[in-house]
Amino acid sequence: MNLAYRDVRHNLFRFLLTCFGLSLLMAVVLSMIGIYNGLVVDALTIARAPGADVWVVEEGTRGPFAEASRIPADTRESVARLHGVTAAGSVTYQTAEADFAGGKLRLYVVGHEPGRPGAPKDLVAGRPIARSHYELVADTRTKLELGDRLRLGRNSFQVVGLVRNHVNSGGDPAVYITLSDAQTLQFELAPPAARLRIARGGSVEGTDTVNAVIARVDPNISADAVADTVRRWKHLAAMSQAGQENLLTRSVVDRARRQIGLFMAILLTVSAVVIALIIYTMTMEKLKQIATLKLIGAPDRTIVGLIVQQALALGGIGWAFGLGVVMLVKDYFPRRVVLEPENALVLAGIIAAVCILASGLGVRAALKIDPATALGG
Amino acid sequence: MSTRDRKVLIEIDGVSKHFGEGDTRVDALRQVSLDIRSGEVVALLGPSGSGKTTLLNVIGCIVEPAAGRLTIDGEDVYNGRWLRGDLRRLRLDKIGFIFQFHNLLPFLDTTDNVALVLELAGKTRRQARERAVELLEYLEIGHRRDAMPAQLSGGEAQRVAIARALANNPRIILADEPTAALDSKRAGIVMDLLRKLAAEQDACIIAVTHDEKIFDRFDHIFHLRDGRLNGNGGEDGAATG
Ligand SMILES: Nc1ncnc2c1ncn2[C@@H]1O[C@H](COP(=O)(O)OP(=O)(O)O)[C@@H](O)[C@H]1O
Ligand SMILES: [Mg+2]
């Protein structure tokens, strides 16, 4: 007969309660992993959305996401003429606030030229922008629906399409509008002094600037070669899509990674200590029964089995419940929680190791106990 | 067949045991020597703290003596040190221990408390359960076979513990105040039962008892005082007197 199982069944409620407590801890660990993954994926979706091969930005910046970048709009034509470039488009990125449904909506406004690289792919509803003004494709997280109207700056936009999971690294959902609408909005939202300067046309920063130009490159031509060519031009910098993604994960996500990584390390340590304590206590409570087992002739392997199996059951059930809890609630998080199967498996491995290590403590105490202990009253 | 012709199951020769050192030293057993043959039912008598439990525990290989020799069923088990690594297996196969407190495992029902020692000795689960139920029936506690230990009365628990002690047909049955939790009628029944088993299985029984009402059920009575045995181990024991 399986003693571990029988003992658990005898104290089923308490065991399940312990598992439940542990599972909440596991759920926190898993959510942290999921939140971190979500941050990385979110940061990349915006950069991946236009399906670019090369990013052209202002010289000396690592734009347009990690740092602000501003280049003349006519850069697009020069880039489009380059050997190997099949298409090029100008894009702008800015954050804006809008009133919607009685609340403030923080948006990441992406301006692009319809028909050129920069438009979002994979719409989940509606259609891409077809008119040159006042149409908008929104992320579902804005809670906007097809046909809704939204005021941005002085103009009212109509939602014609929806995309999913397009948010910036700060978690603001994206809306896509045409480049000219975006430039107007940029002007309207600029501080009054700057606006005055721009209107007089006295500034180097004319209204006809964009944040980046993106290019698609012939698959037979290396994107890096194209980027190298652009880099030789004055005032411009360029990087490949891989370089852009690399930059994003490094610069934008790096701090979050360290923050969350450290927090996760603390959480895992706490979990390990809690698991160890629970298992040790479970063993200590059973010491007299373990002594009795020795008295009646049970070999060490029976006793070790009892402790280790219970420890693994505890960890396993806690992990499974925890995973279940996260799966249930993950869509209610304000930001995306992305759990890869590997994450859950790695955590399972860590927990199994912790359980076995922790039962080591209990096993030591159990094997040391003198069977005569069981004889006392 | 006279007692003298029977096999010596337990040979204790000059066994001493003390707990603690210096000022706190307690000599629980001093130079105890004793032979017990198969079929014998003997009582250990003595005031509290005289070393009765310690002697049983030494015979049961639960407590390591400080000096002397111990032979069980012809096998040298202790001679200044344990001579056998696997004392638990010896206990499982040869010794049935009825403890002062029943020591049933709280998470197993009555049947499985008995079946466990059978499974540990190598029986299949089915064989073990069958034999366990048989034993419980035999001890007139079969109707409580599905009860958990916490639901049993003291006497019922004691009988389950006895069933467990007897499960593997041990040659040696050690009982530490087995009847303390029982009324005198039940105590008599339990002692009769143990006697019957000793006769049937050719086992020996050593029981610690204070219970004067059951003295007549023993072949010999040994007295312990301050760890010293001054037995009337001869034919003038209560059973023949
Ligand atoms: N584990 C132990 N540690 C210290 N002293 C003990 C231990 N076991 C027994 N003793 C002491 O040894 C003496 C004999 O004890 P015990 O054999 O239990 O006596 P009895 O069973 O006759 O009452 C007592 O003085 C007791 O206090
Ligand atoms: Mg005692």
Side-chain angles (χ1 to χ4, degrees):
Chain A
M1 72 190 79
N2 186 303
L3 294 178
Y5 168 68
R6 300 294 292 271
D7 183 44
V8 163
R9 211 178 60 176
H10 184 59
N11 285 312
L12 191 60
F13 181 70
R14 220 188 66 174
F15 182 78
L16 288 182
L17 208 62
T18 313
C19 286
F20 179 68
L22 194 59
S23 72
L24 293 184
L25 205 55
M26 294 298 107
V28 176
V29 175
L30 281 168
S31 334
M32 282 325 290
I33 299 177
I35 288 169
Y36 170 71
N37 286 343
L39 276 184
V40 175
V41 174
D42 277 353
L44 291 178
T45 39
I46 283 286
R48 279 178 182 162
D53 294 315
V54 172
W55 292 76
V56 179
V57 296
E58 185 179 343
E59 184 169 36
T61 72
R62 299 183 301 158
F65 305 105
E67 284 172 351
S69 147
R70 204 166 254 283
I71 56 176
D74 56 16
T75 309
R76 193 199 71 77
E77 280 103 69
S78 323
V79 171
R81 278 196 296 271
L82 278 177
H83 172 67
V85 171
T86 55
S90 299
V91 280
T92 62
Y93 297 94
Q94 61 189 310
T95 46
E97 273 193 354
D99 296 307
F100 180 69
K104 283 260 186 252
L105 203 53
R106 252 186 89 77
L107 298 170
Y108 193 56
V109 181
V110 184
H112 67 284
E113 302 170 281
R116 295 216 172 109
K121 302 170 296 180
D122 310 325
L123 268 63
V124 292
R127 57 167 175 82
I129 291 171
R131 299 212 199 109
S132 51
H133 287 294
Y134 315 132
E135 285 190 345
L136 170 153
V137 170
D139 181 76
T140 47
R141 243 165 232 242
T142 56
K143 301 266 164 45
L144 289 166
E145 281 169 24
L146 291 181
D148 278 348
R149 298 200 74 85
L150 181 75
R151 258 203 113 67
L152 276 176
R154 294 208 193 103
N155 299 310
S156 165
F157 290 76
Q158 186 177 13
V159 179
V160 297
L162 294 176
V163 287
R164 185 168 289 147
N165 292 328
H166 285 219
V167 299
N168 71 356
S169 59
D172 306 322
V175 295
Y176 290 85
I177 57 180
T178 62
L179 184 69
S180 53
D181 285 348
Q183 284 173 322
T184 310
L185 183 65
Q186 217 154 28
F187 173 68
E188 285 167 1
L189 296 182
R195 208 152 55 198
L196 200 64
R197 202 155 19 101
I198 295 166
R200 280 188 195 136
S203 166
V204 267
E205 301 175 358
T207 41
D208 208 14
T209 61
V210 297
N211 299 124
V213 167
I214 52 183
R216 296 216 181 104
V217 174
D218 186 315
N220 300 318
I221 308 257
S222 139
D224 284 316
V226 173
D228 280 343
T229 314
V230 174
R231 237 173 270 134
R232 282 197 293 272
W233 298 352
K234 263 197 160 56
H235 311 304
L236 293 178
M239 67 195 102
S240 66
Q241 175 69 19
Q244 180 67 266
E245 289 185 16
N246 209 343
L247 186 70
L248 271 179
T249 21
R250 275 217 320 273
S251 68
V252 179
V253 178
D254 204 39
R255 190 174 309 166
R257 188 210 306 268
R258 268 183 281 148
Q259 178 99 341
I260 292 179
L262 188 62
F263 185 54
M264 228 151 64
I266 293 173
L267 259 183
L268 273 177
T269 312
V270 170
S271 310
V273 170
V274 168
I275 292 175
L277 265 177
I278 292 174
I279 291 169
Y280 189 68
T281 318
M282 266 165 59
T283 312
M284 285 302 139
E285 280 174 354
K286 274 199 286 288
L287 271 192
K288 191 160 172 209
Q289 293 160 33
I290 288 166
T292 302
L293 280 170
K294 288 187 177 181
L295 273 187
I296 63 176
D300 285 346
R301 121 181 77 83
T302 305
I303 292 158
V304 173
L306 170 68
I307 297 168
V308 173
Q309 285 168 23
Q310 285 191 352
L312 287 178
L314 184 81
I317 295 174
W319 172 83
F321 277 12
L323 192 60
V325 169
V326 173
M327 285 313 192
L328 278 180
V329 304
K330 79 181 171 85
D331 290 334
Y332 298 98
F333 276 82
R335 297 212 47 182
R336 199 130 69 102
V337 175
V338 179
L339 260 190
E340 306 288 348
E342 303 92 87
N343 302 141
L345 286 181
V346 166
L347 184 65
I350 293 176
I351 290 172
V354 167
C355 284
I356 288 169
L357 280 178
S359 29
L361 278 179
V363 164
R364 247 174 62 113
L367 293 186
K368 266 210 317 242
I369 186 154
D370 183 353
T373 326
L375 298 172
Chain B
M1 188 160 61
S2 96
T3 317
R4 292 290 167 226
D5 302 328
R6 287 171 172 270
K7 189 175 178 225
V8 177
L9 281 183
I10 304 170
E11 261 185 275
I12 301 167
D13 189 10
V15 162
S16 299
K17 173 68 186 174
H18 59 86
F19 295 101
E21 290 295 341
D23 289 348
T24 59
R25 176 171 169 132
V26 178
D27 282 289
L29 295 175
R30 304 171 205 245
Q31 293 287 327
V32 173
S33 297
L34 179 67
D35 283 1
I36 295 168
R37 291 162 188 276
S38 64
E40 282 186 333
V41 179
V42 307
L44 268 183
L45 221 63
S48 175
S50 57
K52 306 181 297 291
T53 298
T54 307
L55 182 54
L56 279 196
N57 289 347
V58 165
I59 300 171
C61 306
I62 293 166
V63 160
E64 180 171 5
R69 257 166 37 85
L70 172 66
T71 305
I72 287 184
D73 200 10
E75 182 183 345
D76 283 334
V77 174
Y78 183 87
N79 190 356
R81 63 184 174 89
W82 292 119
L83 301 174
R84 205 185 138 127
D86 199 359
L87 294 170
R88 274 184 238 170
R89 186 73 216 187
L90 176 79
R91 216 148 49 221
L92 191 62
D93 293 336
K94 300 224 166 126
I95 301 171
F97 215 131
I98 303 163
F99 309 109
Q100 190 163 0
F101 306 94
H102 61 70
N103 281 101
L104 296 176
L105 292 168
F107 54 86
L108 296 181
D109 65 21
T110 302
T111 310
D112 278 336
N113 258 290
V114 180
L116 176 62
V117 290
L118 288 155
E119 280 186 40
L120 287 174
K123 295 266 194 305
T124 67
R125 173 125 185 88
R126 254 198 53 203
Q127 291 170 332
R129 297 260 321 170
E130 273 167 17
R131 164 119 174 100
V133 170
E134 234 174 71
L135 270 165
L136 291 171
E137 301 277 356
Y138 185 65
L139 287 161
E140 295 174 8
I141 187 110
H143 59 290
R144 303 291 272 149
R145 70 173 76 151
D146 296 324
M148 298 306 280
Q151 300 165 328
L152 300 175
S153 72
E156 287 172 333
Q158 192 63 306
R159 275 183 283 163
V160 177
I162 293 170
R164 181 177 65 182
L166 302 177
N168 286 321
N169 292 319
R171 302 298 312 278
I172 297 163
I173 296 165
L174 306 173
D176 199 350
E177 310 200 23
T179 58
L182 309 179
D183 59 51
S184 58
K185 182 170 153 268
R186 284 240 177 267
I189 292 172
V190 164
M191 277 317 300
D192 285 341
L193 182 75
L194 288 177
R195 283 195 67 87
K196 194 168 129 208
L197 287 164
E200 277 174 11
Q201 301 185 4
D202 217 21
C204 69
I205 295 175
I206 308 172
V208 169
T209 186
H210 293 299
D211 201 345
E212 294 182 23
K213 293 181 292 290
I214 58 169
F215 284 174
D216 57 345
R217 265 114 169 159
F218 293 96
D219 300 329
H220 307 290
I221 294 180
F222 293 98
H223 289 271
L224 263 175
R225 186 172 293 274
D226 283 340
R228 252 185 269 278
L229 194 70
N230 28 40
N232 50 354
E235 297 302 315
D236 55 339
T240 51

